[in-house]
Structure formats: C-alpha cells, structure tokens
Amino acid sequence: MRWKTGRRSENVEDRRSDGGLGASPFGGRRPMRVGRAVGVGGGLGGLLLVVVLMLMGVDPSLLLTDAGQSPTTQIGDYGAEAPQFRAPTSGAEEELKDFVSVVLADTEDTWSALFQASGKQYVEPTLVLFSGLTRSACGLGEAAMGPFYCPGDQKVYIDLAFYDELRNDFGAPGDFAQAYVIAHEVGHHVQNLLGISDQVDAARRRVGKVDQNRLSVMQELQADCFAGIWAHHAQRTRQILEQGDLEEGLNAASAIGDDRLQRQTRGYVAPDSFTHGSSEQRVRWFKQGLLEGRLDACDTFSATEL
Ligand SMILES: [Zn+2]
C-alpha cells in the first residue's frame, strides 16, 4: 500500500502505556466514579466478583459501565488467543500506529464524502490502541477478543499485537490485510450511524438462536462489503493500492471466515453457528463493495443468497 504520504487521523487514542489493568483509559476526561456505575454482575454476585478482582490486584472499575450509558453489544470479530502482557512499544509498533492512523484518516475522508453526497453527516469514530485490557462502553475489552467496535462509545478498539496473529496464525500478512481489519470495524461504525445496528439488535431480540446467528452473519458481511467500499474510493481518489494488495485483503477476508476458524479450532464446521460468514462469503462481499463502491450494493439483509 502507498500510505506513507497519507494524512494522519487525529482520532487515535493511544492507551498502550496505560498497561491496561488499573489504568484510567479516559485520558483528559474524569474517570468514572465507581459509586455511580453499574456492575456487570449486579447484586451479591457482582459484589463478590469485585472483591475477588480486588484481591487479585485488578481494578474492579474496569468491569463497570457508566450508569448514564446503557451497555450495548460489542461486535467482536475474532475471539482468538492473543498475548496478554507485552513489553513496551517497539519501533515497529510505532510504525504500525502511524499506519493505522493513515488508514483511519482515509476511511474518514471516504465516508465523509459518501455521507455528504447523500445529505448526511459522517461522525468520525475514535480508534483506541490498547495493550492487553481496556475499558469500553461495552464492557471490558480484551486483546484475546481481537479488534472490535463498540456502538455505545463509537470507538474501534485494537491491540496492535493482533497483527502478529493475523500474519502468523491466520496466515494473512501484508499492510492491506491490516487495513482491511480497520476498514471492517469502521464498517460497523457506518452501520451504527445509519441505524442498521439498532435494527439488527431489535430483530435479534425477536428470533431464535439460528436466526440470531444469521442476522449476525448479514451484519458482518455488510461490514466486509463496506470495507470494500472504502478500498474502492481510496483507490479511485488516492491510488493507494500496489501490486499484490488486493490479494492480501482477500486472503485476510478468507482467513478469518467462520468455517476456516472453526476447522482450525474445533476440527469441524457448523454453519448454523456462524456469526461472521464463511471464507467464501466474506471474500465475495468484500469484492462486491470493492467493485461497486455503493452502499446499496451492500444490502446483505435483502440478498436472496448470502
Ligand atoms: Zn465485524
């Protein structure tokens, strides 16, 4: 990818030096007061959990959500194991930070223009870099969950160590593969702004498990398609792609398909339990967005075949 000369986003929140445990990730904002917050467990169970955590030396407020903000479902995309504690940031990781801030800026430019063209205003999301553990409006964010988006605070969360995993465990190296991961999470943000996430949440409450999973697959494949829309416009206006980049992106989409992940972790594939879509579906919808570059080309919810 040709990214070095690109604009850097101002919406990157770096929490890596917080070390996760016990730190306040809210920067300049006042830390949340435990007294006003709502515990995850509630009642005695929640209280016990807090005591146990304190005995373990863990700041229990990491598990508490702001009382004024109802916890929302977070959208985790990977769920693989990632290292929990790492050495302080290296030069290579600083370059990665630089890279993700360029990709984020590019998604801002792309989506702002697309929203404006349809008379809407794009609200830029924040990208949080963390190391190991962090707090989000959706609850505790863990590196092991992989990158995720929290609609409640409109933030994308990523532990940059995930990129080692993407390269080494998922077999998906390359900068465009890394960009696709960010663009997919930003795709969830776009769904949130367009009200799609709320509709999906409401629909999920009315149906059984199999249909819930199917709705989740539709939502994930649409985020893949939105990632493709970003790549389409970034290429058209800024010619970011180099030889081999598309293959990297498609390979990453394929590597994190539910069928491939299930085969790797369980040894068999159970399509009803898919929440993100198969490798083939993820590649196809990413390509769809990439070729068409339009939101209406990404209506996975009305598609006769996913
Ligand atoms: Zn996703």
Side-chain angles (χ1 to χ4, degrees), residues 14 34 43 51 116 123 149 175 181 225 242 266:
D14 194 347
V34 173
V51 172
Q116 202 171 15
V123 180
Y149 172 72
D175 53 7
V181 169
C225 191
E242 290 174 314
R266 300 191 204 169

Side-chain angles (χ1 to χ4, degrees), residues 176-196:
F176 193 67
Q178 294 169 347
Y180 155 75
V181 169
I182 303 289
H184 172 96
E185 300 306 335
V186 170
H188 285 308
H189 174 65
V190 171
Q191 289 175 322
N192 189 22
L193 294 182
L194 294 176
I196 296 169

Side-chain angles (χ1 to χ4, degrees), residues 253-271:
S254 168
I256 56 183
D258 283 329
D259 49 348
R260 176 98 65 102
L261 293 182
Q262 285 187 356
R263 199 170 286 120
Q264 273 169 8
T265 53
R266 300 191 204 169
Y268 63 94
V269 177

Side-chain angles (χ1 to χ4, degrees), residues 32-94:
M32 291 184 285
R33 279 174 26 217
V34 173
R36 287 184 55 231
V38 181
V40 272
L44 190 61
L47 202 65
L48 275 176
L49 181 62
V50 167
V51 172
V52 170
L53 283 172
M54 284 168 77
L55 288 172
M56 289 166 63
V58 177
D59 175 4
S61 66
L62 277 170
L63 285 172
L64 305 169
T65 44
D66 197 326
Q69 213 167 20
S70 65
T72 36
T73 330
Q74 71 196 18
I75 301 164
D77 285 313
Y78 304 93
E81 291 299 318
Q84 294 290 311
F85 302 102
R86 290 173 299 117
T89 57
S90 63
E93 214 178 69
E94 285 314 296

Side-chain angles (χ1 to χ4, degrees), residues 187-247:
H188 285 308
H189 174 65
V190 171
Q191 289 175 322
N192 189 22
L193 294 182
L194 294 176
I196 296 169
S197 316
D198 281 346
Q199 286 176 32
V200 172
D201 286 347
R204 279 172 61 94
R205 282 194 285 273
R206 294 192 298 264
V207 297
K209 189 73 191 159
V210 169
D211 286 328
Q212 280 182 7
N213 287 346
R214 190 171 161 76
L215 281 164
S216 166
V217 169
M218 289 170 168
Q219 191 174 13
E220 292 300 330
L221 293 177
Q222 186 176 61
D224 284 334
C225 191
F226 285 179
I229 291 184
W230 161 71
H232 173 99
H233 291 279
Q235 174 63 7
R236 233 180 36 181
T237 54
R238 289 174 289 279
Q239 292 83 42
I240 57 159
L241 295 179
E242 290 174 314
Q243 187 81 27
D245 276 344
L246 276 188
E247 289 75 10

